[in-house]
Amino acid sequence: MSQNNWLPTSAKEINNLGWDNPDVIIFSGDAYIDHPAFGTAIIARVLESIGVKVAIIPQPNWQDDLRDFKKLGTPNLFFGVTSGNMDSMVNHYTANRRLRSDDAFTPGGKAGFRPDYATAVYSRILKKLFPETPVVLGGIEASLRRFTHYDYWKDILLPSILHWSDADLIVYGSGEKPVKDIVKLLLKGVPFSQLKNIPQTVYMIDKSLPIPNLKNRNTIELTSHEICLKDKLKFAENFKIIEEESNRFEPSRLHQVSGNKRIIVNPPYQPMTTAELDAVYDLPFTRLPHPRYRSKGSIPAFEMIKNSVTIHRGCFGGCAFCTISAHQGKFISSRSKSSILKEVKMIAQTDGFKGYISDLGGPSANMYGMKGKDFELCKNCCRPSCIFPKICKNLDTSHQALSEIYRETDKVEGIKKTSIGSGIRYDLLMNNDVSENEKKVQHTYIKELIIRHISGRFKVAPEHVSEHVLKIMRKPSFKLFKEFKVIFEKINQENNLSQQLIPYFISSHPGTTEKDMVDLSKEMKKLKLTLEQVQDFTPTPMTLSTAIFYSGVHPYTMQPIYTARNKEDKLRQKKYFF
């Protein structure tokens, strides 16, 4: 691990490196933290690994004379633009559209260092200043706005962000593979305008032009943006197609007319292999914020994750309100045990490390290494969830490999305790459709997890108590949570522990009435549970829940579903938490 090898963020740093020009300049809404938990750092290091000269402009000032956008000049290849690790609108506003007073991705936690719709704002500025230089969008904000989408903050349907950002291309999802291919083609002399068939990218052409050929893939046309504006049901139908294709191993190419343009979304690469993922996390991250922030206060997001380790990507939970599968996909890509332990040992040798790993996790901490027993069956499946309404019988839910990683981590010199901070899917731990031996493995994992790997408070996410709401959420019955609570308390009692079970709940999710919230409140009192991890539903682009919120129907049944939409109704539901 290098302690002085940050990528350049200023003209002075570029001069010190002896560069004439960067090949790629990345603009980010986050502070520059050179840690593998941050997408900007990952993409920059991946590009660096193939010989590309990369500079990063973190949190540029978009309100002055735009000097931050001009200070490094024109890159040789393209500008990269991201809002950062979060959607800027979720970062800025509460569920009731109230402006937040802090920003976890900024030194001192200060708000106001990025604009609303940061990706589009940065992109438009760059295209105005450097009209001939390509702009490539990436990150979750662009990824989830690649199609016509409902924008909760404006309360309207917006076309693909490519349409209103003036950018040239979107890289969606985890971007390591597409950005490398983009660069390799550009260095071979391929004009940027001819980059049409790179997987996991989105581009735009005049709607009158023929669609470029794409071998060995089906192509589906979605209902146009203009028709969706007039007919909410057509928008709902589009969502069903998008989600089903997103969950296929070999999805179709999708395209959609918007105004006089056609948005073309190429299917993604296949999930990263273990070797490919290991190679990413083996890159020379400093694992620290850039020195420019030394006198500006700590960065809350960094403090939270600095001693954490990502062990896999992807999630097959398919929760209706979650964006992970739309961004990372439902197929799990896992790192090798040796790669994970190498990172743990690196952390253990860090100056000031006190012996505590805060997380070995991913989108769902206990999906590590899981996949279909017969993967050929998975290739023909488009189920949004592998575990709802029941756990797929073809899914290998063994926790053996994960338990071994926990045990090996605890043996590393300098490690006092390894906590699991990411969410645990307790339904995966209570799968009765497995052998007796597998049930023993599950119980061993639960016991070791509760005794050794939580820090007094164990957070899980039942989300609600009402069965009809949970069905819309694609979450298991609340009865399962109560069964898990009994197991949790029994293990605590047997080991003289006094740990708390902290459940997450959501109010005003589509399908939820005030009566459902009354039932939730009563159930919590009955179970004597502390309500701390609670939130009001926020509609975010490209989720099933948001499609229901906007259209008023379930896209898979086209049946009407009640949703609390106005501020007063949402606040009235949330008050039952307290």
Side-chain angles (χ1 to χ4, degrees), residues 457 459 500 502-505 529-535 577-578:
R457 295 155 61 82
K459 298 174 184 178
Q500 283 183 291
I502 309 294
Y504 280 75
F505 289 103
L529 285 169
T530 305
L531 282 177
E532 295 179 18
Q533 302 296 324
V534 298
Q535 65 183 80
F577 284 141
F578 308 105

Side-chain angles (χ1 to χ4, degrees), residues 160-305:
S160 168
I161 193 171
L162 203 55
H163 206 283
W164 45 281
S165 65
D166 298 335
D168 299 278
L169 197 72
I170 295 173
V171 167
Y172 67 92
S174 298
E176 292 95 339
K177 288 185 176 183
V179 295
K180 285 203 290 188
D181 280 354
I182 288 167
V183 165
K184 287 175 182 177
L185 289 170
L186 292 175
L187 291 176
K188 286 180 180 178
V190 177
F192 196 95
S193 60
Q194 291 183 21
L195 302 180
K196 302 299 186 189
N197 286 341
I198 297 175
Q200 221 166 299
T201 60
V202 186
Y203 63 96
M204 191 163 59
I205 61 173
D206 289 340
K207 71 176 183 181
S208 59
L209 294 175
I211 301 172
N213 290 327
L214 186 65
K215 293 180 180 179
N216 304 321
R217 287 297 175 94
N218 187 30
T219 294
I220 298 174
E221 181 169 9
L222 301 172
T223 301
S224 73
H225 176 71
E226 284 68 31
I227 291 177
C228 288
L229 287 173
K230 297 174 184 176
D231 188 341
K232 292 182 177 183
L233 300 186
K234 293 296 183 184
F235 172 76
E237 289 174 358
N238 270 2
F239 175 82
K240 180 174 181 287
I241 295 169
I242 293 166
E243 185 178 55
E244 286 185 336
E245 291 304 318
S246 296
N247 287 312
R248 293 187 190 278
F249 189 72
E250 294 185 347
S252 301
R253 175 174 62 177
L254 303 178
H255 62 99
Q256 181 184 33
V257 168
S258 179
N260 62 353
K261 300 292 184 180
R262 186 182 302 277
I263 306 295
I264 299 178
V265 180
N266 286 325
Y269 288 86
Q270 291 184 359
M272 294 179 78
T273 65
T274 294
E276 288 170 335
L277 206 54
D278 284 357
V280 169
Y281 288 90
D282 195 37
L283 293 171
F285 300 96
T286 65
R287 299 186 65 88
L288 294 167
H290 191 276
R292 63 191 286 151
Y293 305 120
R294 279 177 183 154
S295 62
K296 297 183 179 180
S298 63
I299 303 171
F302 169 70
E303 296 300 323
M304 184 174 70
I305 58 81

Side-chain angles (χ1 to χ4, degrees), residues 509-536:
H509 186 276
T512 311
T513 64
E514 275 199 67
K515 181 183 180 303
D516 296 317
M517 295 306 298
V518 170
D519 292 343
L520 191 155
S521 181
K522 288 179 179 177
E523 192 71 49
M524 292 305 98
K525 288 175 183 175
K526 192 188 304 180
L527 294 174
K528 297 179 181 178
L529 285 169
T530 305
L531 282 177
E532 295 179 18
Q533 302 296 324
V534 298
Q535 65 183 80
D536 198 17

